[in-house]
């Protein structure tokens, strides 16, 4: 099977463990093999995309109940929320591989690597959640990441601009704050979560960098200026405005330009 169709097959799977296994298998198969870049999209091939389990219950972001990380249930809900983000991130990366015809082989290879790493993150978090006595699906989850995926399904330039370098980049800002809270909790499960988040933050810098690289490549191909195109896309697709504090050091390593970092530092807008 063509690797991009294997990514689609994994994307359609509803069971999280099966999706993770299929994602990792696809990434392993193409680690050294070439990926043909001929068009393969067909009418109606997005039926069943994305495959998701019945639980967790998907609700609006404003409807997700806030819980204190200083209680065992509150920490479980926090880990579950991150686990839910990583499950969505697996789907997002698989979708980026499958959906867009006409990209270079390196693009597909990059996003398969991202899918593989997101699958590893989900596995680490879900195992930890189970050690705490809970499972993925035991708490509600919001659908913000996939919502933007739907909005940008017909525009790979907008997808690169508004998912990895906007929504996923928010994780670079949020993760150190979450880790600081968990360190104050200072229980064994909280400190283990900090260790897992160290791995995730390290990898997510690379994922956002991939988004930045392909965003700029697409802008160059289209003859557009990346600095002026970005706010146009934010307005057109009604992307969420970024709010401080920002992890400028991590964003710099992830490929945001000096001008973008100065804008964030000065006014809280990317």
């Amino acid at each position: 099977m063509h690797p991009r169709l294997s990514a689609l097959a994994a994307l359609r799977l509803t069971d999280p463990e099966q999706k993770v296994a299929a994602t990792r298998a696809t990434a392993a198969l193409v680690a050294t093999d070439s990926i043909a870049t001929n068009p393969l999209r067909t009418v109606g091939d997005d039926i069943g995309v994305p495959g998701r389990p019945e639980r967790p219950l998907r609700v609006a972001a404003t409807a997700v109940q806030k819980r204190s990380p200083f209680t065992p249930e509150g920490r479980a809900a926090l880990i579950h929320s991150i686990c839910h983000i990583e499950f969505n991130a697996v789907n997002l990366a698989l979708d980026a591989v499958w959906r867009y015809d006409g990209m270079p082989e390196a693009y597909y290879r990059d996003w398969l690597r991202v899918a593989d790493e997101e699958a590893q993150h989900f596995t680490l978090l879900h195992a930890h959640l189970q050690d705490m006595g809970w499972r993925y699906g035991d708490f509600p989850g919001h659908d913000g990441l996939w919502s933007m995926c739907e909005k940008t399904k017909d525009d790979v330039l907008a997808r690169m601009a508004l998912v990895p370098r906007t929504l996923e980049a928010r994780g670079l800002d949020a993760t150190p704050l979450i880790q600081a809270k968990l360190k104050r909790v200072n229980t064994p499960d909280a400190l283990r979560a900090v260790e897992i988040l160290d791995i995730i933050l390290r990898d997510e810098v690379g994922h956002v960098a991939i988004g930045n690289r392909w965003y700029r490549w697409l802008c160059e191909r289209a003859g557009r200026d990346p600095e002026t195109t970005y706010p146009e896309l934010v307005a057109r697709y009604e992307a969420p405005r970024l709010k401080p504090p920002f992890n400028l050091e991590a964003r710099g390593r992830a490929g945001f330009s000096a001008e973008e970092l100065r804008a964030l530092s000065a006014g809280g807008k990317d």
Side-chain angles (χ1 to χ4, degrees):
M1 184 184 293
H2 191 291
R4 289 176 60 204
L5 294 179
S6 294
L8 173 58
L11 179 59
R12 286 175 170 156
L13 291 172
T14 59
D15 180 85
E17 304 300 338
Q18 292 178 10
K19 186 187 294 287
V20 162
T23 298
R24 302 217 63 196
T26 300
L29 283 173
V30 301
T32 56
D33 296 340
S34 64
I35 303 174
T37 58
N38 52 297
L40 52 73
R41 291 296 308 274
T42 58
V43 176
D45 60 359
D46 57 354
I47 294 173
V49 172
R52 296 185 285 197
E54 291 185 5
R55 295 173 60 84
L57 176 68
R58 293 187 294 276
V59 299
T62 53
V64 177
Q65 182 180 354
K66 295 186 184 300
R67 295 178 172 90
S68 170
F70 290 91
T71 68
E73 184 172 352
R75 288 194 299 282
L78 174 61
I79 299 304
H80 186 279
S81 69
I82 304 170
C83 200
H84 182 62
I85 289 169
E86 296 300 325
F87 180 79
N88 275 280
V90 174
N91 281 338
L92 288 166
L94 292 171
D95 191 82
V97 172
W98 155 74
R99 184 172 295 278
Y100 301 108
D101 285 336
M103 296 296 287
E105 179 177 350
Y107 167 89
Y108 302 117
R109 194 173 296 284
D110 274 348
W111 285 107
L112 275 172
R113 178 169 68 82
V114 172
D116 184 50
E117 291 179 352
E118 302 289 19
Q120 294 177 53
H121 299 167
F122 176 86
T123 299
L124 285 169
L125 288 163
H126 195 206
H128 185 50
L129 188 63
Q130 291 175 82
D131 287 343
M132 297 170 70
W134 303 82
R135 291 189 63 84
Y136 180 57
D138 286 346
F139 299 91
H142 71 80
D143 216 17
L145 272 174
W146 191 260
S147 175
M148 185 55 70
C149 189
E150 282 287 335
K151 287 183 180 181
T152 59
K153 65 182 182 180
D154 296 321
D155 186 348
V156 64
L157 174 58
R159 173 69 65 85
M160 293 298 107
L162 302 178
V163 175
R165 72 187 309 270
T166 299
L167 297 183
E168 293 187 76
R170 295 168 75 179
L172 305 183
D173 306 324
T175 298
L177 304 178
I178 295 170
Q179 289 179 301
K181 289 181 181 179
L182 291 169
K183 287 175 182 177
R184 289 200 298 273
V185 173
N186 200 34
T187 60
D189 67 275
L191 296 178
R192 174 55 183 154
V194 171
E195 293 174 354
I196 295 171
L197 289 174
D198 277 337
I199 296 169
I200 291 174
L201 180 59
R202 178 201 67 201
D203 291 346
E204 292 298 339
V205 168
H207 300 174
V208 176
I210 287 170
N212 267 318
R213 179 163 66 250
W214 288 109
Y215 169 69
R216 293 197 171 91
W217 184 89
L218 286 157
C219 282
E220 182 177 357
R221 185 175 74 169
R224 302 180 65 172
D225 175 69
E227 306 292 344
T228 58
T229 297
Y230 179 73
E232 294 171 5
L233 293 170
V234 168
R236 182 186 310 163
Y237 290 94
E238 299 180 328
R241 298 288 178 173
L242 302 184
K243 298 178 181 179
F246 299 112
N247 188 343
L248 297 177
E249 185 273 334
R251 282 175 172 266
R253 288 191 287 120
F256 286 92
S257 70
E259 183 177 339
E260 288 173 314
L261 295 175
R262 279 195 297 271
L264 287 172
S265 182
K269 295 182 180 180
D270 200 357

